[in-house]
């Protein structure tokens, strides 16, 4: 049924909250708040960039995801009244570059490839940071293509971002299964025309607008049931 299984990266294959332990070490009592607010601000900035100039040729406000991540960290530290010196920023960004993959990621990717399916990442991350997080988790051989929205200069949920998969693979929309743990991402991919698997680790309700995902599970291993 599917020829390509494409995964969102941050939050889906790689745990964005694995940064919490280091954040707590650097800022005792504030680690969890920093990690959550950092992620929220990061996503907010991607939407601001894209919605403020959704040009088909890319937003004139485009800034790489790495740079947005740095700027988001700086904002949150100011918001929480934390002193972020160059050393702390370097350590946090260094760990972000090598975020931990979820425990079942390697197994699932290996099984999919064993079944003859192409595997891909489609992410807001820029290519260099994606290649580094893939490499640091030993997943380079398990992922056929790493696709960054920087080619479109528009972040998800712009349709041009999802269209990049069709430019990378000579397949129909119906032959791609898109996998994300972010409900907003799953919804936008469904609107674009992909079949979607929502990895609902926290057992949250899906969005009240749009179509529900084609599949839902609580971990990446559940994706195998759809393939």
């Amino acid at each position: 049924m599917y020829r390509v299984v494409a995964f969102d990266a941050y939050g889906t294959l790689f745990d964005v909250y694995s940064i919490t332990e280091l954040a707590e070490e650097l800022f005792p009592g504030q680690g969890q708040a920093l990690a959550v607010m950092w992620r929220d601000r990061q996503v907010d900035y991607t939407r601001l960039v894209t919605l403020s100039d959704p040009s088909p040729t890319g937003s004139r406000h485009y800034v790489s995801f790495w740079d947005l991540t740095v700027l988001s960290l700086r904002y949150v530290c100011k918001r929480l009244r934390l002193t972020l010196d160059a050393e702390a920023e370097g350590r946090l960004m260094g760990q972000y570059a090598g975020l931990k993959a979820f425990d079942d990621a390697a197994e699932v990717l290996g099984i999919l490839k064993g079944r003859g399916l192409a595997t891909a990442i489609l992410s807001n991350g820029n290519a260099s940071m994606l290649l580094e997080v893939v490499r640091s988790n030993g997943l380079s051989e398990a992922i056929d293509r790493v696709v960054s929205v920087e080619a479109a200069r528009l972040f998800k949920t712009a349709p041009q971002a999802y269209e990049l998969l069709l430019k990378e693979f000579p397949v129909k929309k119906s032959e791609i299964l898109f996998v994300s743990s972010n409900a907003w991402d799953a919804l936008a991919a469904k609107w674009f025309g992909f079949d979607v698997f929502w990895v609902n680790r926290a057992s949250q309700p899906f969005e009240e607008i749009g179509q529900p995902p084609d599949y839902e599970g609580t971990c990446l291993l559940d994706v195998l049931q759809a393939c």
Side-chain angles (χ1 to χ4, degrees):
M1 181 175 178
Y2 302 114
R3 296 173 61 188
V4 179
V5 183
F7 294 83
D8 169 59
Y10 297 106
T12 302
L13 290 177
F14 307 107
D15 184 1
V16 294
Y17 300 116
S18 62
I19 204 81
T20 303
E21 184 176 349
L22 176 58
E24 182 65 23
E25 176 189 332
L26 293 170
F27 303 109
Q30 297 285 356
Q32 184 173 5
L34 187 150
V36 171
M37 290 177 65
W38 187 5
R39 172 61 172 171
D40 289 347
R41 182 57 50 171
Q42 180 192 56
V43 173
D44 286 345
Y45 279 168
T46 65
R47 291 170 176 163
L48 183 61
V49 165
T50 299
L51 291 172
S52 296
D53 182 28
S55 169
T57 58
S59 172
R60 68 183 182 276
H61 307 298
Y62 181 81
V63 178
S64 78
F65 195 66
W66 179 261
D67 289 341
L68 283 187
T69 302
V70 174
L71 296 172
S72 301
L73 173 61
R74 292 173 182 174
Y75 170 84
V76 167
C77 285
K78 289 178 180 178
R79 180 80 175 266
L80 293 173
R81 293 178 171 79
L82 303 174
T83 301
L84 180 71
D85 59 24
E87 180 183 0
E89 180 179 299
R91 289 183 66 188
L92 286 164
M93 290 305 301
Q95 185 154 333
Y96 203 96
L99 287 174
K100 295 178 182 177
F102 286 99
D103 291 341
D104 50 357
E107 180 181 358
V108 169
L109 290 165
I111 291 172
L112 292 173
K113 286 185 66 67
R115 293 178 180 178
L117 294 164
T119 57
I121 281 176
L122 174 64
S123 172
N124 280 337
N126 44 292
S128 59
M129 68 184 295
L130 290 170
L131 291 172
E132 174 59 23
V133 75
V134 167
R135 183 205 61 78
S136 68
N137 283 281
L139 298 177
S140 299
E141 297 300 317
I143 298 171
D144 295 307
R145 302 278 179 86
V146 174
V147 183
S148 166
V149 303
E150 67 182 342
R153 294 179 62 84
L154 292 168
F155 294 104
K156 296 186 288 185
T157 61
Q160 293 94 326
Y162 299 100
E163 189 176 12
L164 292 172
L165 285 172
L166 299 175
K167 295 179 178 180
E168 288 287 334
F169 294 96
V171 299
K172 302 174 184 177
K173 282 185 182 181
S174 60
E175 294 175 313
I176 294 177
L177 178 65
F178 184 75
V179 182
S180 182
S181 65
N182 300 296
W184 53 266
D185 189 21
L187 174 56
K190 184 65 182 173
W191 272 339
F192 180 74
F194 290 146
D195 281 3
V196 170
F197 193 106
W198 181 37
V199 183
N200 184 11
R201 293 190 179 92
S203 299
Q204 296 292 316
F206 195 67
E207 307 295 353
E208 286 296 316
I209 62 172
Q211 299 166 275
D214 299 276
Y215 313 97
E216 180 180 335
T218 59
C219 64
L220 289 171
L221 283 168
D222 291 338
V223 174
L224 300 175
Q225 300 175 24
C227 304

